[in-house]
Every structure is written in C-alpha cells, then in structure tokens.
Amino acid sequence: MKIAIDAMGGDHAPEEIVKGVEMARDRYKDLEFMLFGTESEVKPLIQSMERLELIPTNEVIAMGDEPVKAMKEKQDSSLVQAANAVKAGKADALFSAGNTGAILSSAIFIVGRIRGVERPALATAFPAFGGPHKEFVFMDLGANAENKPSHLYQYGILGTFYAESVMGIDNPRVRLLNNGGEEDKGDDVHKEAHQLMKNTDAFNFLGNVESREIMEGTADVVVADGFSGNATLKAIEGTALTMMGQIKESIKGSGIRGLLGALLLKPALKAMKHKMDFQENGGAVVLGVKAPVVKTHGSAKANAVANSMGQIQTMVEENLVGKTTDFIKENADKLKVKKAAK
Amino acid sequence: MKIAIDAMGGDHAPEEIVKGVEMARDRYKDLEFMLFGTESEVKPLIQSMERLELIPTNEVIAMGDEPVKAMKEKQDSSLVQAANAVKAGKADALFSAGNTGAILSSAIFIVGRIRGVERPALATAFPAFGGPHKEFVFMDLGANAENKPSHLYQYGILGTFYAESVMGIDNPRVRLLNNGGEEDKGDDVHKEAHQLMKNTDAFNFLGNVESREIMEGTADVVVADGFSGNATLKAIEGTALTMMGQIKESIKGSGIRGLLGALLLKPALKAMKHKMDFQENGGAVVLGVKAPVVKTHGSAKANAVANSMGQIQTMVEENLVGKTTDFIKENADKLKVKKAAK
C-alpha cells in the first residue's frame, strides 16, 4: 500500500512531515511512501530510504494561496504532483497538511469524484463526551459553502460508510444538524433534507440534532451543510481554547493557592486537553472522492502526521472507497428516485 | 416607565418571575410592572402591590407549543396579553422567559416591526475574553432560519445602535460571521452582504470574522444569519457545558489529589463559570420592533429576571427604539439605493 505525501504543506513542513512519515514507517510495516517536495529541502531530512521514494517538485502551494488558482497554476507543486500520482494509480491515497482549499480542489478535480456523488465533503472523527462510542463523524466541515438537500442526504451515506468501515460502528446513528429537533425546523434546504433522510433505508436516520448536543455523543454521524458545519466546528474549537486560556488566567490570578491547586489538578486538566485535542489522532478526510485523501491541521507535528498514516491504512484496508462506490452504483436508481420525488 | 411581564413563561414560572420582579422593584425605583398571569397562581406569590398591577389571564403558552399557532389561538394567554398592552401603549416594554418562538412572533406580529426593518433579529450581549470591551452584541441568534443579504446589512445598523445606546460603546466595530476572512468567502448571501456592509457609511464595518475568533473580542457587533448564528451560539454553550462537566469528571477520577486541587482552584473555576454564565446578566433582545422585547432563558431564576429589568430600563431610557426608528426613516433612501444597486 502506497501513500502519496505532500511534504511541503503545513506550518512545520517539510521537517515534521518527513519525521512523521519515518515514524509511520516504523509503526506500519505494510506502508510505502512517495514523498513529493523540493529536493534541496527534503532530501537532507530523510534518515533512510527504506519503503520511501522522493519525487522532486519545484513549486509550493502556500497557506494563503487562492486554492483553485494555485492548483491550476502550480502544476509542479508537491500537492498537485502527489494528487496526480494517486490519479495515475501510482499511489493509493493522498496526504497533506497544507492549504485546505487546495487539498479539497486537488481531491475533487484531480483525484476525482466517485460517480454519483454530487458533492464530496470534508469529515472528521470528533470526540464524543457521552454515548456508546468514543467518537462520531462530523461532516461537511466546509468543503461546500452552499448545499442542496440531496447533498446532505448523500452525506448520510458517505458518513455511514466511514463510521462503519474506519471506526467500526455497527448501524451508525445519523442525525442532521439543525436549529431545532422538530422535522419542520430550519430553512427549506434542511426541511427537505430531513424528509429525504427520514424516508430512506440507506442509513439509520434518527432526526435532527442541535449543535449544543453533538458533543454528548447523541449521534455517530452528524450531517451539516458546509457553512454551518464549519461555523460549529470553529465555535467548538474557539470555545475550548478560550476556556483553557481562562483557566490558566484564573490560576495565575489566584496566587500560591491557585498554583498549588493547578499542580494537583494537572493530570486531570491534561486528560481533558488530550481529549479535546482530537486532531492529534488523525486528519480530516475528503469523502466522496476516488481515493482516501487526508488533511491534518496546518500546525501538525510528526506524531499527528504518523497517526494520519494509520488512519489512511485503515481506510485502504477496509476498502472504504470501493464499498462506497459499489453502494452508490447499486443504488443509483434509488438515489435518483429520491431526487425526482422532490 | 412600565414593563409588561409574562408571569407564566419559563421553567420556574410564575414563582421566580414574580420574585425577580419584586427584586427589580427594590433595585430600580422608576420602574412599574404589569404582571400578566393566572390569578390563582400569581396572586398568592406577590408580597406587595407597590408599583405593580396584576392583570388576570386564562391561558398559558407552553414551551413546546407551536409558536405562531399558539400566539394566534391563545389570545387570552399571559404572553399575548402582555404584548397587546405594549401595542396599546399601556406599557413601554415586554418581558418573558417563555417559548422563544412565541415571544418572537408576539414581538413581530403584535408589537410590530419598525417601518423599514425587513426582519427583526434576536440579539444578546456576549462576553468578550479579550479586546477593548467586556461584551459584544451577537445577532441574529435564530429569529430567522433564512436571511437575505439586505437583512444582514440591516443587522449592522440595529446592532450598532444597541452597542452604542445600551452598552455604551463608541463607534462599534461590526463584523460578519463567515467561514473565512476574505471578502469572497461564504455562500452568495454572505458574499453579497459583505459588499453591502463594506460600502456603507451607516456603521463601522471591519470585515468577516470566523466563529473561532468571536469570543476573543474581535468585534463589538457580530452579525450572523439566523441559522448559523443559532448553531454557533449553541455550539459555544454546549462546549462550555461539556468542558465544565469534563473538568468535574476528571477531578472525581483523580482521587484525593484531584479533590484537594479542586478545592484550591474553586475560586478560579467559579470566576470562569460566572463569566460564561452570561445569560444571568440579562436577556436576549428582539431588535427591530417598536418597543424593547426581552427574553431570558427558560431556566432563569429571580436574579436573572431582575437583571433583565435593568437592561430594559437602559433601553427605554436611552430611547433605543426611537433612535433606530429615526435613523431608518432618515436613511430610507440610502437603504433603498443599496438594494437597488444589487
């Protein structure tokens, strides 16, 4: 199994990317790696060429680049060349810690959509602080700024396959992120999506969920439109950061007593921080494209990069893309009927 | 100054409502209160009739009632009668801790929109953990499931008046909640709203803000569409609750060491919880209607009710509605030009 790596994407690239890949090579004995990057920068970092190939590239897509433009114009960039390798069948999956928009564009336009999938989506495994499972799938996190009801319906299918195959959850509980529990809540898109989801037997739909409740583990797949999914994810991250900062401030402000208390509570606070630090366990996945595409956060260090490789290995081993493709092919009529019924 | 009170709305009504009103009577010497509620339940709770009038009503709108239907059918409910009193000019403002949707409907359809305001919005003062001011205005929090660009543009005006008049912020910094900082981010509604806001001199627009950053105090008025504003607010609340719960769990799980640490940190944690508990300081306000309408959370106790009365007093004293009405009247042409230019 071979993974195409964009060695130049991310705040700590290429150092932490190369380090993470070599870490992953030690952990996962079946993995091989194609490293795409600027030779003069990447080559000196590599410790051993075991199961590793360096493909020199001459351009880099920066974090601030306009995504589609960068993908089109920087044909010899590490990201575009890595995506080309996946498209050509030379690699089984794509990894990058770089510009999210450019990764999405490369996934959709180079790796390509699975036939029948209207809009690929960005998904992540998010920690559940309650409920029967440790994590749930949260999507779309911003691949799309605008969604139709049929997109949301399809996310139920894509998310269910991910929860089953990669997270090992049987018959995952799917819910639609909406601004109320009742089925007539939300704008027209969400009302219609609710009806499509309610009337399908393609997955196990349990109704709406509000953003207040998603962290409690009330669903295994939370389907959101890209705009409010993105806003919700960032609100959660912002609140967690703000609260951790506030706790620190409060401790500092309460003198020796606070410092002593903090010292005693350190393991407890660390455990919580660890659980909130979910991005360490793997990356966000572009679902609905013809190969696994994983994106870790820009500030990822070697360990997060290595963990993403483990996540990719599971996706390839479990044949996530194949299963999804087959299901969509076999149920093409059903999917069309759904839309016609609208 | 007279406030019409729905004594029957809220999880702890009428007990805590009546208690809160009497608390407010002691604090604010210029306030008079019209209490609308079921006589047999409310009358026994009242300690003194000083500056207080009880208007008996025979129906109650429950938390689970369908809002518009309830407002139309329960004409003799405490909420509808209180709203009628405001409409008739017998009271200057409306207060309820009940069914949010029904309060919004009563505000919009009974109290009535200010002429020229396309869509009233639900706003709250939210704690800023950074920046020059203690709080910022966050709106729309769910009065509308769907918004047009012109609605968002008008929220900039409504929010600016609230921040100036009630929170005493000069030249408030207005930002648009969007899924990225650049002006071409978001769906068509947000892109177009950004242009309207950027090209106006009606308020001080500083561009987009992401939900990750709003708590840092990067704006004094955060304008959101009702759907993602609602999702963001609930995500923040849910995360804060989950984290407080996690801290407690972690403490319990770390034995005598954790308990001792918690004891020492108690003042620090309490200070943080207090700041997050922003709803205690006042209620959410329906902006864009002909009188101040304030709604506290359903679980409000007497103190939060009394604080809301103080908030209402400021709104009436500062003539928030009058100022807003005059501005919109004087700038009607400008507002229309904006729309025509679209």
Side-chain angles (χ1 to χ4, degrees):
Chain A
M1 186 187 312
K2 209 175 264 184
I3 304 175
I5 314 273
D6 165 16
M8 308 305 288
D11 304 338
H12 307 297
E15 293 78 8
E16 294 291 325
I17 310 296
V18 174
K19 216 165 135 187
V21 164
E22 298 206 291
M23 204 183 264
R25 185 179 54 202
D26 294 342
R27 284 194 210 159
Y28 312 106
K29 300 299 178 188
D30 293 334
L31 292 186
E32 293 173 53
F33 305 93
M34 295 173 83
L35 229 53
F36 294 80
T38 310
E39 193 167 15
S40 61
E41 289 186 49
V42 177
K43 205 171 180 182
L45 299 169
I46 300 174
Q47 305 287 319
S48 143
M49 296 302 289
E50 190 199 332
R51 287 183 274 133
L52 189 149
E53 189 185 345
L54 172 61
I55 297 96
T57 50
N58 295 305
E59 285 175 299
V60 174
I61 294 179
M63 286 307 210
D65 282 358
E66 202 282 300
V68 179
K69 197 167 163 248
M71 180 196 68
K72 282 186 185 159
E73 292 180 1
K74 295 188 172 175
Q75 284 291 321
D76 196 22
S77 62
S78 49
L79 174 62
V80 170
Q81 287 300 327
N84 282 337
V86 176
K87 189 191 180 184
K90 291 181 199 155
D92 302 292
L94 172 63
F95 169 85
S96 176
N99 182 318
T100 307
I103 297 168
L104 281 164
S105 304
S106 304
I108 296 166
F109 299 114
I110 303 176
V111 176
R113 278 186 300 133
I114 293 173
R115 182 187 287 265
V117 171
E118 296 178 44
R119 289 283 188 96
L122 194 63
T124 195
F126 206 88
F129 295 87
H133 303 292
K134 245 178 39 192
E135 296 175 312
F136 65 91
V137 182
F138 189 18
M139 66 192 287
D140 173 30
L141 303 177
N144 305 282
E146 235 152 336
N147 281 116
K148 290 184 188 167
S150 55
H151 304 162
L152 300 179
Y153 166 70
Q154 288 196 341
Y155 296 166
I157 297 171
L158 297 175
T160 293
F161 272 104
Y162 189 84
E164 280 177 349
S165 300
V166 182
M167 289 157 61
I169 297 175
D170 277 339
N171 197 27
R173 301 161 300 154
V174 179
R175 287 188 185 272
L176 175 66
L177 187 72
N178 204 337
N179 60 7
E182 302 83 359
E183 62 181 81
D184 62 343
K185 286 285 176 170
D187 56 13
D188 289 343
V189 170
H190 289 83
K191 281 181 202 164
E192 206 179 300
H194 186 106
Q195 292 306 315
L196 290 174
M197 297 170 98
K198 187 182 152 189
N199 295 315
T200 192
D201 51 10
F203 51 84
N204 176 21
F205 183 60
L206 295 187
N208 292 339
V209 65
E210 295 190 73
S211 58
R212 203 197 315 260
E213 288 133 28
I214 60 174
M215 290 173 81
E216 294 165 15
T218 44
D220 303 310
V221 178
V222 173
V223 169
D225 68 278
F227 195 92
S228 49
N230 189 278
T232 298
L233 178 73
K234 286 173 181 165
I236 292 172
E237 289 175 354
T239 310
L241 279 175
T242 301
M243 285 187 71
M244 294 305 287
Q246 283 293 306
I247 292 175
K248 273 189 200 159
E249 282 299 305
S250 299
I251 287 169
K252 271 191 205 158
S254 46
I256 189 79
R257 172 182 176 150
L259 286 173
L260 191 59
L263 202 66
L264 290 165
L265 269 192
K266 210 174 173 183
L269 291 174
K270 219 172 163 179
M272 185 183 65
K273 191 168 178 293
H274 180 72
K275 193 155 187 186
M276 286 305 295
D277 221 1
F278 65 96
Q279 293 176 318
E280 189 65 19
N281 301 321
V285 185
V286 186
L287 294 180
V289 292
K290 288 178 183 162
V293 175
V294 170
K295 182 242 170 308
T296 55
H297 52 118
S299 57
K301 298 274 189 118
N303 186 53
V305 173
N307 286 340
S308 297
M309 300 302 147
Q311 179 189 13
I312 291 174
Q313 178 171 260
T314 309
M315 287 166 74
V316 177
E317 275 176 0
E318 294 292 330
N319 189 24
L320 172 67
V321 170
K323 280 184 201 165
T324 308
T325 308
D326 290 347
F327 179 88
I328 288 176
K329 206 170 169 184
E330 283 160 24
N331 292 276
D333 290 345
K334 219 190 267 178
L335 291 171
K336 269 181 202 148
V337 171
K338 292 285 165 211
K339 284 206 285 173
K342 175 191 146 172
Chain B
M1 186 186 312
K2 207 176 264 186
I3 304 175
I5 314 272
D6 165 17
M8 309 305 288
D11 304 339
H12 308 296
E15 293 79 6
E16 294 292 326
I17 309 297
V18 174
K19 218 166 132 187
V21 165
E22 299 207 290
M23 204 183 265
R25 184 179 54 202
D26 294 341
R27 283 195 210 158
Y28 312 106
K29 300 299 177 189
D30 292 333
L31 292 186
E32 294 172 55
F33 306 93
M34 295 174 82
L35 229 52
F36 293 82
T38 310
E39 192 167 15
S40 61
E41 289 186 49
V42 177
K43 205 172 181 181
L45 299 169
I46 300 173
Q47 306 286 320
S48 142
M49 295 304 289
E50 190 198 332
R51 285 183 276 130
L52 190 148
E53 186 185 349
L54 172 60
I55 297 96
T57 51
N58 294 306
E59 286 176 298
V60 174
I61 294 180
M63 286 306 209
D65 282 359
E66 203 283 299
V68 180
K69 198 168 162 245
M71 180 196 69
K72 282 186 185 158
E73 292 179 2
K74 295 186 171 174
Q75 284 291 322
D76 195 23
S77 62
S78 49
L79 173 62
V80 170
Q81 287 300 326
N84 282 337
V86 176
K87 189 190 178 182
K90 291 181 201 155
D92 302 292
L94 172 63
F95 169 85
S96 175
N99 182 319
T100 308
I103 297 168
L104 281 164
S105 305
S106 303
I108 297 167
F109 299 114
I110 302 176
V111 177
R113 279 186 300 133
I114 292 172
R115 181 188 288 265
V117 171
E118 296 179 43
R119 290 282 190 97
L122 195 62
T124 195
F126 205 86
F129 295 86
H133 303 292
K134 247 179 38 191
E135 296 175 312
F136 64 91
V137 182
F138 190 17
M139 67 191 288
D140 173 29
L141 303 177
N144 305 282
E146 236 152 334
N147 280 117
K148 290 185 188 165
S150 55
H151 304 162
L152 300 179
Y153 166 71
Q154 287 197 341
Y155 295 167
I157 298 170
L158 297 176
T160 293
F161 273 103
Y162 189 85
E164 281 178 348
S165 301
V166 182
M167 289 155 62
I169 298 175
D170 275 340
N171 196 25
R173 301 161 300 154
V174 179
R175 287 188 186 272
L176 175 66
L177 187 72
N178 203 337
N179 60 7
E182 302 82 0
E183 63 181 79
D184 62 344
K185 286 285 177 174
D187 56 11
D188 289 343
V189 170
H190 289 83
K191 281 180 203 165
E192 207 179 300
H194 186 106
Q195 292 307 317
L196 290 175
M197 295 170 98
K198 188 182 147 187
N199 295 315
T200 192
D201 51 10
F203 49 85
N204 176 21
F205 183 59
L206 294 187
N208 293 338
V209 64
E210 296 191 72
S211 58
R212 202 197 316 261
E213 289 133 27
I214 59 173
M215 289 172 82
E216 294 165 15
T218 44
D220 303 311
V221 178
V222 173
V223 169
D225 68 277
F227 195 91
S228 49
N230 188 279
T232 298
L233 178 74
K234 286 174 181 165
I236 292 173
E237 289 175 352
T239 309
L241 278 175
T242 300
M243 285 187 71
M244 294 305 287
Q246 283 293 305
I247 293 174
K248 272 190 200 160
E249 283 298 306
S250 299
I251 288 168
K252 271 191 206 157
S254 46
I256 189 81
R257 172 183 177 149
L259 285 174
L260 192 57
L263 203 65
L264 290 165
L265 270 191
K266 212 174 173 181
L269 292 174
K270 221 172 162 178
M272 185 183 64
K273 194 170 175 293
H274 180 72
K275 193 153 186 186
M276 288 303 297
D277 223 2
F278 64 96
Q279 294 177 317
E280 188 66 18
N281 302 323
V285 185
V286 187
L287 294 180
V289 292
K290 288 179 184 160
V293 175
V294 171
K295 182 239 169 311
T296 55
H297 52 118
S299 57
K301 298 273 188 114
N303 186 52
V305 173
N307 287 341
S308 298
M309 300 302 146
Q311 179 189 14
I312 290 173
Q313 178 171 262
T314 309
M315 288 166 74
V316 177
E317 275 176 359
E318 294 292 329
N319 189 23
L320 173 67
V321 170
K323 281 184 201 166
T324 308
T325 308
D326 289 347
F327 180 87
I328 288 176
K329 206 170 169 185
E330 284 159 24
N331 292 275
D333 290 344
K334 220 190 269 178
L335 291 171
K336 269 180 203 151
V337 170
K338 291 284 164 210
K339 285 205 285 174
K342 175 186 148 173

